[in-house]
Amino acid sequence: QVQLVESGGGLVQAGGSLRLSCAASGSIFSINDMGWYRQAPGKQRELVAAITSGGRTNYADSVKGRFTISRDNAKNTVYLQMNSLKPEDTAVYYCRCRVVITDYWGQGTQVTVSS
């Protein structure tokens, strides 16, 4: 079993920054790709950013230029650096990793951006 533990969420003012971390532990040999999703109240969960094992990244248009996803393979950890935060970024953020053909999800961390 693989477990994902998220940290770094909180309440910040518009224009501020947060760094989310997600560390995977358990029966891990190799992580194919990792990503961050978010779900705002009354909205569907959406992909924010993803990164492959080779370092290729993909971002939602709404966060492009403001957010940066990265990974530390030695630590089985994925990060999301969030800059220039806007109130519309307010959501619960979830990390996801793929081990072989199985997806694992973190517990979610709340990000609230005040105006």
Side-chain angles (χ1 to χ4, degrees):
Q1 183 66 41
V2 175
Q3 291 181 284
L4 305 181
V5 179
E6 302 180 25
S7 63
L11 194 158
V12 298
Q13 292 184 335
S17 298
L18 286 174
R19 189 194 192 204
L20 306 184
S21 299
C22 178
S25 63
S27 301
I28 301 173
F29 293 96
S30 180
I31 301 177
N32 292 329
D33 68 275
M34 309 182 79
W36 289 94
Y37 296 73
R38 68 186 181 188
Q39 187 167 20
K43 300 294 184 65
Q44 184 68 38
R45 186 175 299 186
E46 64 176 350
L47 176 67
V48 177
I51 184 168
T52 69
S53 60
R56 182 174 297 177
T57 59
N58 184 52
Y59 297 92
D61 288 341
S62 59
V63 307
K64 196 170 298 181
R66 300 187 297 120
F67 292 8
T68 302
I69 188 171
S70 61
R71 62 191 291 169
D72 185 335
N73 291 331
K75 294 181 172 63
N76 289 326
T77 300
V78 62
Y79 306 93
L80 185 67
Q81 180 66 45
M82 310 164 67
N83 298 327
S84 301
L85 283 163
K86 304 175 180 180
E88 50 263 45
D89 295 319
T90 295
V92 177
Y93 284 70
Y94 300 88
C95 66
R96 187 270 295 153
C97 73
R98 180 163 295 166
V99 181
V100 190
I101 60 171
T102 304
D103 289 338
Y104 298 90
W105 291 85
Q107 81 281 6
T109 184
Q110 177 70 48
V111 172
T112 302
V113 184
S114 64
S115 59

